[in-house]
Amino acid sequence: MICVAVTYVIKPGHEDEAIGLFARLTEETRAEPGCRMYLAHRSTSDPRRFFLYEQYEDQAALDAHRATPHFEQYAKGGLFPIIESRSPELYEPLE
């Protein structure tokens, strides 16, 4: 299994747009065969800060996710242009 944890800071005024894009990505990604978990969060202290936690069966499933039309549309074409900063990290379970 591989886990992805990403912290996003969205440009001012684009928070509602980001919520809609995360909702679309969540729905589509959870239907992918290699996806174990996909959960977007919003900070309780900073409405521009979002946290995304993802789990995939393996690197191939993550690569397949990144090659989907919905990733292209909602992440690359939607979220990425409205991001002020993005901090992704990959993790593997200890066991």
Side-chain angles (χ1 to χ4, degrees), residues 35-92:
C35 178
R36 288 187 174 186
M37 177 181 280
Y38 193 92
L39 187 58
H41 305 74
R42 188 178 192 180
S43 171
T44 58
S45 61
D46 180 354
R48 293 177 42 222
R49 184 175 298 276
F50 293 82
F51 175 74
L52 185 61
Y53 180 73
E54 309 168 58
Q55 290 181 343
Y56 297 92
E57 292 291 329
D58 52 25
Q59 184 65 49
L62 175 57
D63 293 343
H65 163 67
R66 290 177 175 165
T68 61
H70 55 267
F71 184 83
E72 189 71 33
Q73 180 179 1
Y74 301 127
K76 289 183 178 180
L79 279 171
F80 289 10
I82 62 170
I83 292 172
E84 185 173 290
S85 67
R86 178 175 170 263
S87 302
E89 293 285 339
L90 293 177
Y91 295 90
E92 294 179 336

